[in-house]
């Protein structure tokens, strides 16, 4: 398994371009990106669930859970991007 992992990272280093400014920003500020994405999704879900027929729990919990979930997904992907950039562009010459 380690052989395949090392081969993947060698291939990725050879084929990768330096990260763009937006990729660098997201890797530096993953919690901010996740919070912003969560707030935006919370607002969108809140606007779509404002219906007189829905119960209070449905009108509050659905947007809240959707915003938290989307924030967590964005934060996680930013942390993965940070890890990828560290591995590719800040690795030593030994390939680790």
């Amino acid at each position: 398994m380690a052989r395949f992992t090392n081969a993947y990272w060698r291939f990725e280093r050879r084929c990768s371009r330096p990260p763009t400014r937006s990729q660098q920003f997201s890797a530096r500020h993953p919690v901010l990106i996740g919070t912003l994405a969560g707030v935006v999704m919370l607002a969108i879900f809140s606007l779509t669930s404002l219906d007189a027929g829905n119960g209070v729990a449905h009108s509050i919990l659905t947007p809240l859970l959707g915003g938290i979930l989307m924030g967590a997904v964005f934060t996680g992907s930013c942390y993965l991007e940070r890890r990828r950039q560290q591995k590719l562009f800040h690795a030593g010459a030994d390939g680790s």
Side-chain angles (χ1 to χ4, degrees), residues 17-75:
R17 291 182 259 161
T20 63
R21 290 180 64 199
S22 62
Q23 287 174 322
Q24 289 175 355
F25 183 82
S26 67
R28 287 183 188 139
H29 308 287
V31 176
L32 175 68
I33 298 295
T35 303
L36 291 175
V39 167
V40 168
M41 291 309 292
L42 175 71
I44 290 172
F45 287 153
S46 294
L47 291 175
T48 58
S49 70
L50 291 176
D51 187 15
N54 292 338
V56 174
H58 184 270
S59 296
I60 294 172
L61 287 179
T62 301
L64 186 62
L65 291 176
I68 290 172
L69 180 65
M70 290 305 292
V73 167
F74 273 76
T75 301

